[in-house]
């Protein structure tokens, strides 16, 4: 679970005559993550695509272009079937779609032109003056545009070149007719006068029609164009409905053909032989051998070059040298003495005389390659792989944190929200997301939401909360009887009004943080062991000692008088003593913890230098205190729900606590602190208005709390996972396992219909 599936590197060698058959069978098996040949063998080059690859690629580009024109996707329709005459059918579809697409482009260009002409004429229609009256004069200058009439007239009054002028307005449009002063030129007379003020000029359209008639004619032309566009869109929609399934199936088949045809680009080939290498799950090796033997018999040599260790290593000469090659005869990678002496000669014959260069492993033509990763998690934890991959795919050599994220993320989310009502809604939202999205990421996100809702309900039951209201007045007595029998209280409290509970959750969050960070540091220690025990001690054990030693001392009785009263000691202020009777760790244990802290600090200084010493306060203390954000969210969201309910129901004081004035409560003898919307008013009308307002505030207020809960609790816990937890051990950067092959639409539909196994 913390390790990915174990991977094996395999090699397939044979003559070029069987290469197409081998490629086809490997593609059908959908099993081998092909490695790229690195050009390291003398006499071997990367292969060339199989004949027909260019033609298939061109057809694939054509099909995808047609799908783009139709705005076709797999969500619209399922892949259909293809017949022997599919190429002629595809050509007919291509020709018709291109004709429609070209015509649509022309019409859209015409539509834009008509719209621009309407925009130019519309101001003149608003002005209400015939267009022939706005031009053709020699003795006066005419200008039409949009601007402030007062600014225009002020500019014209101050222009010495203008002897007289007249303005005409219609809406925001202004027409100016100006006569030049003696000796002045009429060209650009008004234009020059209006320099410096905001005035949008409109050129006068060249037409003998009235503006109104011209606009009406243009609008009719626009409507005609839009009608033709609608006809084209309707025909394209008809083609999409009729031929969409066919196009998707052709794309699927062409994709497979192109994949097969271009596979030799990753092979090492000579004039007469080829070598293909790749990674497969270790337990699938026999299936690969059987599949190839069924296809080409003994015409190829199949080797298992290595079963990759999880410890970080460099793939290549050291990794491959000595790895037993299994040719499918059951030797299992342990060659006999005879086979060891005969293997090079056999390899030479099979590969057309090619031999590894100095330093290369037997049969290995791709070097320095990290195995691809197949995460191996329990079914309930698989959706949480999404949260891990949002950072990066784990490396093959490092531990996969998915299971630990699954165990901590929903738990912390539920702790921070803790409300049955919100939990039910979170589950419904997660279920809706799961149903709405077909992608793996969408379904994973929905499942995460369901898990978060489950733990929110669980903690809501522990807190006795439903939409911020205690359930004790709505459910039978004894619902928390099991807690009374096995825990220290009948129900927990968020600590909004009980200070001791708020302090308890502070200590609880610190404890959760210590456990969470220790898990990360232990995983980091295990990862660092691949670099040697010394590196693991300096890099991770040092921080384990420093952090745990410091908090062992903090929760000990050593110097108890100097520590906060709520933390340790046999007093009522000490929360752990008040709840559990735990005063603190013995003084000698505290001294041991202090020694652990000092030893850890020294190891940090030795391993990381003086710079590491300055990081000790952050790593040993600050990172743990980051988990106090859990308490902050708990109190903030609880306080918001409390405020909404107080506004709606009102409240009164009972035994020093504010209690909501719910209809089921007996408030006899208690003074109301706040009446609440549902209780306001002395008349039926005002009461009805108050109740209606209370319902609106209750619904909208709790929706707000619900949504803020997602952002606050969800994002804060993600931060703790990514920054505090992952930082202790996780690097990422692994390559995802992508086998050479293609799962057909029928196989995918069949697989989705089958229940997943645990």
């Amino acid at each position: 679970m913390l390790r990915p599936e174990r991977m094996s590197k395999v090699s397939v060698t044979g003559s070029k005559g069987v290469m197409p058959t081998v490629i086809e069978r490997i593609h059908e098996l959908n099993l081998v993550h092909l490695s790229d040949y690195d050009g390291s063998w003398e006499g071997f080059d990367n292969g060339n695509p199989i004949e027909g690859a260019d033609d298939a690629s061109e057809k694939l580009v054509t099909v995808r272009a047609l799908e783009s024109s139709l705005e076709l996707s797999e969500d619209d329709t399922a892949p259909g079937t293809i017949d022997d005459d599919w190429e002629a059918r595809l050509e007919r579809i291509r020709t018709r779609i291109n004709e429609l697409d070209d015509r649509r482009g022309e019409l859209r260009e015409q539509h834009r032109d008509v719209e621009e002409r309407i925009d130019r004429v519309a101001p003149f229609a608003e002005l209400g003056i015939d267009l022939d009256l706005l031009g053709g004069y020699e003795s006066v200058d005419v200008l039409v545009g949009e601007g402030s009439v007062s600014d225009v007239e002020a500019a014209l009054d101050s222009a010495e070149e203008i002897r007289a002028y007249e303005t005409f307005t219609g809406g925001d449009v202004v027409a100016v007719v100006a006569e030049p002063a003696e000796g002045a030129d009429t060209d650009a007379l008004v234009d020059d006068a209006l320099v410096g003020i905001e005035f949008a000029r409109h050129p006068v359209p060249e037409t003998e029609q009235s503006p109104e008639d011209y606009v009406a004619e243009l609008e009719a032309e626009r409507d005609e164009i839009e009608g033709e566009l609608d006809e084209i869109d309707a025909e394209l929609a008809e083609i999409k409905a009729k031929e969409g399934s066919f196009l998707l199936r052709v794309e699927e088949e062409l994709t497979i053909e192109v994949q097969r045809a271009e596979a030799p680009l990753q092979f090492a080939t000579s004039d007469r032989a080829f070598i293909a290498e790749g990674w497969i799950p270790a337990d699938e090796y026999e299936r690969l051998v059987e599949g190839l033997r069924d296809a080409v018999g003994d015409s190829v040599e199949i080797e298992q070059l290595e079963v990759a260790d999880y410890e970080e290593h460099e793939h290549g000469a050291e990794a491959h040298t000595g790895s037993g090659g299994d040719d499918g005869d059951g030797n299992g990678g342990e060659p006999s003495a005879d086979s060891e002496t005969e293997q090079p000669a056999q390899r030479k014959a099979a590969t057309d005389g090619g031999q590894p260069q100095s330093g290369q492993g037997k049969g290995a033509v791709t070097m320095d390659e990290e195995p691809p990763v197949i995460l191996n998690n329990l079914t309930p934890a698989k959706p949480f792989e999404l949260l891990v991959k949002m950072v990066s795919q784990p490396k093959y050599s490092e531990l996969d944190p998915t299971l630990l994220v699954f165990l901590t993320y929903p738990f912390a989310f539920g702790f921070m929200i803790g409300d049955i009502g919100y939990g039910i809604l979170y589950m419904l939202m997660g279920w809706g997301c799961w149903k709405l999205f077909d992608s793996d990421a969408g379904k994973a996100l929905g499942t995460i939401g369901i898990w978060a809702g489950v733990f929110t309900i669980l903690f809501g039951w522990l807190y006795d909360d439903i939409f911020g209201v205690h359930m004790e007045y709505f459910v039978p007595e004894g619902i928390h009887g099991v807690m009374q029998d096995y825990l220290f209280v009948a129900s927990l409290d968020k600590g909004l009004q009980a200070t001791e509970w708020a302090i308890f959750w502070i200590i609880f969050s610190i404890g959760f943080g210590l456990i969470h960070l220790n898990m990360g540091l232990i995983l980091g220690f295990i990862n660092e062991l691949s670099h040697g025990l010394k590196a693991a001690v300096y890099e991770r054990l040092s921080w384990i000692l420093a952090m745990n030693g410091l908090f062992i001392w903090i929760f000990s009785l050593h110097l108890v008088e100097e520590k906060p009263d709520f933390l340790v000691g046999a007093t009522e202020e000490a929360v752990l003593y008040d709840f559990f009777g735990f005063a603190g760790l013995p003084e000698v244990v505290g001294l041991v913890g202090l020694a652990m802290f000092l030893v850890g600090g020294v190891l940090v200084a030795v391993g990381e230098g003086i710079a590491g010493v300055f990081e000790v306060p952050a790593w040993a203390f600050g990172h743990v205190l980051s988990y106090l954000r859990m308490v902050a969210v708990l109190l903030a969201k609880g306080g918001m729900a409390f405020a909404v309910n107080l506004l709606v129901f009102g409240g009164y004081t009972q035994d020093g606590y504010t209690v909501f004035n719910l209809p089921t409560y007996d408030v006899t003898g208690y003074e109301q602190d706040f009446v609440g919307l549902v209780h306001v008013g002395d008349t039926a009308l005002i009461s009805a208005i108050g109740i209606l307002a209370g319902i609106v505030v209750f619904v909208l207020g709790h929706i707000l709390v619900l949504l803020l809960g997602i952002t606050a609790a969800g994002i804060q816990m993600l931060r703790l996972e990514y920054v505090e937890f992952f930082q202790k051990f996780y690097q990422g950067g692994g390559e995802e396992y992508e086998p050479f092959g293609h799962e057909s639409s029928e196989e995918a539909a069949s697989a989705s219909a089958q229940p997943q196994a645990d």
Side-chain angles (χ1 to χ4, degrees):
M1 290 179 289
L2 294 178
R3 291 289 191 185
E5 288 192 30
R6 190 173 289 276
M7 304 296 290
S8 293
K9 189 160 193 178
V10 296
S11 172
V12 179
T13 306
S15 66
K16 275 193 171 180
V18 299
M19 186 171 69
T21 306
V22 170
I23 290 174
E24 183 176 356
R25 179 49 58 94
I26 291 178
H27 192 279
E28 290 173 355
L29 291 172
N30 194 28
L31 191 63
V32 183
H33 180 102
L34 290 176
S35 302
D36 291 323
Y37 171 54
D38 62 2
S40 59
W41 274 31
E42 184 178 354
F44 282 81
D45 295 315
N46 293 91
N48 296 316
I50 296 174
E51 185 178 354
D54 291 340
D55 183 57
S57 296
E58 290 177 5
K59 286 185 172 65
L60 182 59
V61 170
T62 297
V63 171
R64 288 175 174 167
L66 295 178
E67 291 176 348
S68 177
S69 296
L70 295 176
E71 298 180 353
L72 182 66
S73 69
E74 293 181 3
D75 296 335
D76 298 321
T77 181
T81 58
I82 55 177
D83 302 320
D84 294 337
D85 65 341
W86 67 270
E87 291 184 82
R89 183 179 176 184
L90 177 62
E91 180 60 22
R92 289 195 299 272
I93 296 172
R94 184 195 68 79
T95 301
R96 184 54 183 158
I97 290 179
N98 285 347
E99 290 174 353
L100 293 173
D101 210 29
D102 291 343
R103 180 56 181 160
R104 182 168 58 180
E106 294 174 1
L107 290 172
R108 285 175 175 172
E109 183 65 30
Q110 294 176 18
H111 189 271
R112 282 193 296 270
D113 179 63
V114 171
E115 287 283 6
E116 290 175 0
R117 288 154 64 191
I118 290 175
D119 290 340
R120 291 197 298 268
V121 177
F124 296 93
E126 189 176 7
L127 188 62
I129 300 176
D130 288 344
L131 298 177
D132 59 351
L133 298 177
L134 297 174
Y137 301 104
E138 294 182 359
S139 58
V140 295
D141 186 22
V142 180
L143 188 66
V144 181
E146 294 184 36
S148 170
V149 177
S150 58
D151 291 345
V152 169
E153 291 179 345
L156 295 174
D157 287 335
S158 61
E160 296 179 356
E161 295 83 1
I162 296 177
R163 187 178 72 82
Y165 69 87
E166 187 72 35
T167 59
F168 306 89
T169 60
D172 296 328
V173 182
V174 181
V176 179
V177 180
E179 180 185 359
E182 186 175 352
D185 192 356
T186 57
D187 291 341
L189 180 67
V190 179
D191 249 334
D192 293 340
L194 298 182
V195 170
I197 69 170
E198 292 186 8
F199 189 78
R201 295 154 181 81
H202 295 311
V204 179
E206 296 181 2
T207 177
E208 296 179 357
Q209 296 175 291
S210 67
E212 294 82 1
D213 293 341
Y214 191 39
V215 169
E217 179 181 310
L218 291 175
E219 288 178 344
E221 184 178 350
R222 180 189 61 188
D223 294 342
E224 183 179 347
I225 294 173
E226 289 176 350
E228 192 170 348
L229 284 171
D230 290 340
E231 291 176 3
I232 292 176
D233 290 339
E235 186 171 351
L236 288 172
E238 183 180 350
I239 295 174
K240 177 179 179 180
K242 182 180 179 181
E243 306 291 357
S245 297
F246 166 75
L247 290 174
L248 289 177
R249 184 56 187 275
V250 171
E251 182 193 13
E252 183 180 61
E253 293 297 326
L254 288 174
T255 300
I256 293 173
E257 186 175 344
V258 170
Q259 285 179 345
R260 290 174 177 171
E262 295 181 348
L265 294 171
Q266 297 177 270
F267 295 179
T269 63
S270 65
D271 291 339
R272 296 189 295 273
F274 76 93
I275 304 173
E277 291 184 2
W279 293 95
I280 64 172
D283 57 2
E284 295 281 11
Y285 179 67
E286 292 302 326
R287 185 160 75 91
L288 174 67
V289 172
E290 291 175 5
L292 290 175
R293 288 283 178 254
D294 289 342
V296 295
D298 295 329
S299 298
V300 294
E301 179 185 351
I302 309 166
E303 293 183 277
Q304 183 167 304
L305 301 177
E306 71 163 311
V307 177
D309 292 330
Y310 288 122
E311 289 74 18
E312 189 173 358
H313 64 285
E314 184 176 335
H315 296 284
E318 291 79 14
H320 293 161
T321 302
S323 297
D326 189 343
D327 61 2
D329 296 330
N331 293 334
E334 298 295 335
S336 63
D338 292 338
S339 67
E340 284 193 33
T341 59
E342 293 172 0
Q343 182 72 17
Q346 294 170 353
R347 186 70 170 177
K348 181 175 180 179
T351 61
D352 193 32
Q355 286 291 339
Q357 296 178 7
S358 176
Q360 288 181 322
K362 175 184 61 181
V365 298
T366 52
M367 298 294 190
D368 305 320
E369 189 184 43
E370 183 81 9
V373 176
I374 305 175
L375 299 183
N376 183 23
N377 288 293
L378 297 173
T379 300
K382 280 188 176 296
F384 290 83
E385 293 175 359
L386 173 68
L387 300 183
V388 175
K389 291 180 180 180
M390 285 172 63
V391 176
S392 181
Q393 175 87 349
K395 289 182 180 178
Y396 181 80
S397 57
E398 67 181 340
L399 297 172
D400 173 19
T402 300
L403 180 63
L404 299 178
V405 173
F406 165 66
L407 295 175
T408 56
Y409 186 86
F411 176 88
F413 187 96
F415 165 76
M416 286 185 272
I417 303 299
D419 189 287
I420 292 177
Y422 295 150
I424 293 173
L425 293 178
Y426 285 138
M427 288 186 68
L428 291 174
M429 292 168 66
W431 179 81
C433 183
W434 192 91
K435 294 290 289 185
L436 180 63
F437 297 107
D438 292 329
S439 65
D440 292 339
K443 291 191 177 297
L445 188 63
T447 306
I448 292 171
I450 292 173
W451 275 110
V454 168
F455 277 87
T456 302
I457 291 174
L458 174 61
F459 274 97
W461 178 74
L462 296 176
Y463 296 140
D464 195 33
D465 263 13
I466 179 167
F467 292 116
V469 178
H470 288 313
M471 296 180 295
E472 57 184 307
Y473 290 93
F474 301 101
V475 296
E477 286 190 35
I479 191 170
H480 288 95
V482 64
M483 297 179 63
Q484 183 71 58
D485 294 337
Y486 296 102
L487 297 179
F488 53 95
V489 289
S491 63
L492 309 181
D493 192 288
K494 291 183 177 179
L496 295 175
Q497 302 185 72
T499 306
E500 64 274 12
W501 276 104
I503 296 174
F504 174 77
W505 295 128
I506 290 175
I507 298 175
F508 176 87
S509 298
I510 290 174
F512 177 85
L514 283 169
I515 295 172
H516 201 219
L517 294 175
N518 270 296
M519 288 192 299
L521 288 169
I522 291 171
L523 294 180
F525 180 83
I526 296 172
N527 284 336
E528 290 293 337
L529 283 175
S530 63
H531 300 145
L533 179 61
K534 182 178 179 181
V537 170
Y538 286 142
E539 294 291 334
R540 289 296 175 263
L541 183 61
S542 57
W543 295 112
I544 293 175
L545 292 174
M547 182 183 71
N548 288 287
L550 177 61
F551 278 91
I552 287 174
W553 176 80
I554 288 175
F555 284 99
S556 74
L557 294 175
H558 182 242
L559 299 180
V560 63
E561 296 84 2
E562 308 299 327
K563 297 175 182 177
D565 293 337
F566 69 86
L567 200 60
V568 291
T571 63
E572 292 183 358
E573 289 81 5
V575 172
L576 294 179
Y577 182 78
D578 188 30
F579 284 1
F580 304 106
F582 174 75
L585 297 170
E587 186 173 353
V588 64
V589 175
L591 292 173
V592 170
L594 194 57
M596 289 171 57
F597 172 74
L598 295 175
V599 170
V602 171
L603 290 175
V604 170
V606 173
E608 301 186 21
I610 191 65
V613 176
F614 291 103
E615 293 182 4
V616 171
W619 276 65
F621 189 67
H623 288 190
V624 179
L625 293 189
S626 290
Y627 287 79
L628 293 179
R629 67 187 68 243
M630 295 170 60
V631 183
V633 175
L634 171 71
L635 296 176
K637 294 298 151 284
M640 291 177 67
F642 180 89
V644 171
N645 291 333
L646 186 63
L647 184 61
V648 173
F649 300 111
Y652 58 93
T653 302
Q654 179 180 353
D655 300 328
Y657 295 94
T658 298
V659 181
F660 299 130
N661 184 13
L662 296 171
T664 54
Y665 287 23
D666 183 7
V667 299
T668 304
Y670 294 101
E671 181 179 353
Q672 295 291 311
D673 296 325
F674 182 75
V675 176
L677 291 172
V678 297
H679 301 293
V680 72
D682 298 329
T683 65
L685 178 60
I686 296 179
S687 296
I689 294 174
I691 292 173
L692 181 61
I695 293 173
V696 172
V697 170
F698 185 86
V699 172
L700 296 181
H702 284 294
I703 288 176
L704 177 63
V705 178
L706 180 82
L707 297 178
L708 290 177
I710 296 175
T711 57
I715 292 176
Q716 291 299 340
M717 190 55 202
L718 272 183
R719 184 204 178 280
L720 293 174
E721 297 281 8
Y722 291 161
V723 178
E724 267 69 35
F725 183 53
F726 279 22
Q727 191 182 77
K728 305 300 182 290
F729 69 98
Y730 190 68
Q731 292 182 346
E735 182 180 4
E736 191 162 358
Y737 172 69
E738 295 180 354
F740 173 69
H742 185 85
E743 186 179 40
S744 69
S745 54
E746 291 86 351
E747 291 171 342
S750 175
S752 63
Q754 299 295 326
Q756 290 184 338
D758 290 343

